[in-house]
Amino acid sequence: MSGQTGKWREEQVLVICPGSSTTMAQLGCGELSPPAHRFPTRMFRDEETGQWRPYHTSKRKKAAAVPAPVVEGEQKTEEAKPEGEKKEEDEWEYVEDQDSDEGAVYPIQGGHIVVMDAFLAFLEHVHSSLTTTYHNTPIMLMASPQWTRPDCETLARYIFEKTKTPALCLINSAIATQYGLKWPNMTVVDIGFEKVDVTCIYDSRIVAHRDVGAGWPENSADEEREISGGEVFTRKLQQLLKDKIKGFNRDMAEQLKKSNICEVLPYAPDKPKLMDLPTEDVPLAAAATTTTTTTGAAAAAAASGTTTEGPKIVEPVADEPIYDAEGNLVDDEGVLDVANIVATGQTREFLAKKEKEKQEKAKKKGKDKEAEANRAMRLPNSKRVKNVFHFEEYVTEEVPIVQPAPPAPAPAPAAQPVPATTEGAKDVEMADAPAAPPAEGAEKKDEENKDEAKTEEQKPDAPATEDKKPEEKPSEPAPEPATEAPQPAEAPKAPEPAAAPAPPTPEGPVPTERQTKRIRRDIEVGLERFEFADRAEIDRIVTAIYNAVQSIDDMYMRPPCWESLVFVGNGARIRGLKENILQTLQARHLISPSSATIFTSELPSNIGTPTAGTPGPGGASTPIASGPGGAQSGSLLQAATSAAAANANLNVGPGGAQGFQGGAEGSQLGQHHFHSQTPTNIKLAQLPTYLSEWTKNGFEEAMFLGAQVAARMAFCIHNFDAQGLEMQRYMSLSRVDYNELGPKGIRLHSMLGW
């Protein structure tokens, strides 16, 4: 392997990441881009041959051939065909439908490979669809945590014997996520189609794993299997809306779950449903509009004197000019500056200016009210009781093929009349182009020209001065007799006897073709778009995360895992789901350190918290340290110190060797690196920002990014040192090692984290 490692180019590597519903694949790992191809993870059994097909194949009878129009003088070709060829036309034909899932078999369910031969045929289909060579394409295959060792060995045997690949690398999905996000310590929460995997990684190795809904499917019926992940939320949506919206099916529920109006509200522990649901739409815009309309109507009624309300005290508006009882203008302080107005002599201009300012201020107030109303209309989705969802559906129909009409035969050319003229006139007619049909007004002129030509030809010997006239005649169109003129007008009637026959009606089934059209519907959805977040399902995920991290034997590994939570999988794309899970973890399991727990956290898990005056490990009573004023300030510190010293003495056996203390507890006492048993900080890991395509696409598919990075390290990089080359050798299984070790060599030469 060492001689073959690193000789492949980046565009030769095939990366495949199988999933229960969708498989991501791409040929080449140089661009580090999102997956270029997505295949539905399903196969179809052929009823006749028993083999696997990638698409649904239906069998239908061939459409009868439409007979071509028969031209006179030709014989029918169908009459000359033997009977064997006629029978071939009546045979069945196979039609593939790439969008249909009728009779589909899903080889992966809940992460487990349940139909191995179908999955192998699926891998062969993906390989043949993306590559044309078999001997120079190394394969990077992502493995699910539920795959067993026999499964991996079967896959290695099939890939090496069927695809003739030079090298194979199997990588765990959590390890692939770590390669994509670069953090050495993290907790990967993979929310998939029907399962949730929680994997804790410390120093690039798997230290704990838990899953939800990944039990072995004993029955293929979806209703009888315990599942988790995104499919649970889809079924919950369908269950809530199938009785309220007519024709609401699974496709509608899936699109609604992926839309922006469907979200998981923040965790609210003081609410009955643990979420703050909107009670009613706040009609701020409507209220503002109603207030404005009512005020305007009241003002109009008061101005016309038709109001029925009692007298009211109308206070002056600050922005309007104020006048006294005699109609004189008053300044801002309520004092009329009559002298200044009269002295300037601009009384009218002053009043006009004040009126203009009043109108501008009123107009500005109206714009502010309108902007406030529009701002009220833009309520967030979480504050609306109802919202509109746009559903798009693609419908495929069988449409009859429109046969093109046969071209009409060209009309027969009209017979050109040959006038009875002399040889000179014939020569002129042959030299000229065919004459156009003369107009009715020019008939007399043509007759006169004809008579003049005849008289000139009959003259014996014309003088030389008259030879110019016959030389100019050939440039003129040849005249036609008056009796022959109506014939060109009757030319369109010539094809009537030889008209094209009507297109014959085809015998048998009409040929059809498949056409796809898009249908869009607007559906109004209520609070069901919030209630689909099943609280029991979220609690299962939260419990799995807590149990996975707390199951790590070495407690010093837990804080790095708590401080780097990563949510991947397309199920994590649900709006607000990651935030809700994080808030639930912080509300239920996060304990902030305080002065009362600083010293108790120093105690191992199997030692109770001592109190002042209690017997110590040696039987002597723990002394009570009295501080100023007789306070027992150092009792907890002394108890913790004495307990740690006693544990150190208990773990040291004869000769200085460390003794056995009952399995995991003894190992924790002997390797006491960290003393906190509960999380003091829970937060999400920071995602990389230097990959613009992945920032736009989202890091929910970070395992594919990590698979590309790992493929470059395993197959393409060749400038390692001796230690790096040895590590690279164990990252993948080459054909040389496969021939020597067999399929079991995948246990050592892989990145499965075993």
Side-chain angles (χ1 to χ4, degrees), residues 33 102 144 211 224 249 434 453 533 620 643 676 680:
S33 60
E102 180 182 354
S144 174
D211 54 47
E224 299 182 7
N249 52 20
S676 177
T680 58

Side-chain angles (χ1 to χ4, degrees), residues 476-692:
E476 299 177 359
E480 295 182 358
T483 57
E484 300 290 337
Q487 289 183 359
E490 297 178 357
K493 297 182 181 180
E496 290 182 357
T505 57
E507 299 178 358
V510 180
T512 59
E513 62 179 357
R514 301 177 68 88
Q515 291 185 358
T516 303
K517 61 180 181 180
R518 186 179 67 175
I519 300 176
R520 179 173 176 175
R521 294 174 53 187
D522 294 340
I523 304 174
E524 190 179 40
V525 186
L527 296 178
E528 293 82 7
R529 68 187 195 276
F530 304 132
E531 297 174 347
F532 81 101
D534 192 358
R535 194 66 242 175
E537 177 62 22
I538 296 179
D539 291 343
R540 292 171 64 194
I541 299 175
V542 170
T543 304
I545 296 174
Y546 180 78
N547 292 338
V549 179
Q550 293 300 114
S551 64
I552 302 176
D553 294 336
D554 297 326
M555 289 188 295
Y556 68 92
M557 298 181 181
R558 299 177 187 177
C561 295
W562 277 121
E563 296 173 1
S564 298
L565 291 178
V566 176
F567 290 88
V568 296
N570 287 324
R573 293 184 183 271
I574 301 177
R575 188 178 178 184
L577 180 59
K578 295 182 289 186
E579 291 77 7
N580 188 286
I581 294 176
L582 182 63
Q583 293 166 3
T584 306
L585 281 171
Q586 293 175 347
R588 296 184 180 180
H589 304 293
L590 181 63
I591 299 179
S592 299
S594 62
S595 59
T597 59
I598 290 177
F599 303 116
T600 57
S601 62
E602 298 293 332
L603 297 177
S605 58
N606 63 334
I607 300 297
T609 302
T611 59
T614 56
S621 177
T622 304
I624 300 177
S626 299
Q632 303 173 0
S633 59
S635 58
L636 295 178
L637 176 61
Q638 293 179 2
T641 306
S642 60
N647 292 331
N649 296 330
L650 290 174
N651 291 333
V652 177
Q658 185 176 1
F660 178 75
Q661 293 293 330
E665 294 181 359
S667 62
Q668 290 181 7
L669 295 176
Q671 301 176 359
H672 191 56
H673 300 280
F674 189 79
H675 311 293
S676 177
Q677 303 180 36
T678 55
T680 58
N681 190 12
I682 302 176
K683 62 180 181 179
L684 299 177
Q686 185 178 1
L687 301 177
T689 58
Y690 50 85
L691 298 173
S692 59

Side-chain angles (χ1 to χ4, degrees), residues 57-118:
T57 305
S58 59
K59 186 178 180 181
R60 68 178 183 183
K61 197 172 184 180
K62 289 184 178 180
V66 179
V70 181
V71 185
E72 293 183 359
E74 296 184 1
Q75 297 181 356
K76 295 182 179 180
T77 57
E78 295 181 359
E79 297 178 357
K81 287 184 178 181
E83 296 181 0
E85 296 183 3
K86 291 184 179 180
K87 292 181 179 179
E88 291 180 359
E89 293 180 356
D90 298 336
E91 290 182 354
W92 298 85
E93 64 178 356
Y94 295 92
V95 180
E96 288 185 349
D97 187 359
Q98 299 184 5
D99 299 327
S100 176
D101 57 351
E102 180 182 354
V105 175
Y106 295 90
I108 300 179
Q109 296 180 7
H112 298 275
I113 303 177
V114 294
V115 187
M116 178 58 73
D117 54 345

Side-chain angles (χ1 to χ4, degrees), residues 399-437:
V399 181
I401 300 177
V402 179
Q403 297 291 341
Q416 297 292 339
V418 181
T421 58
T422 59
E423 295 179 359
K426 290 182 179 180
D427 294 338
V428 173
E429 184 178 359
M430 293 175 61
D432 297 336

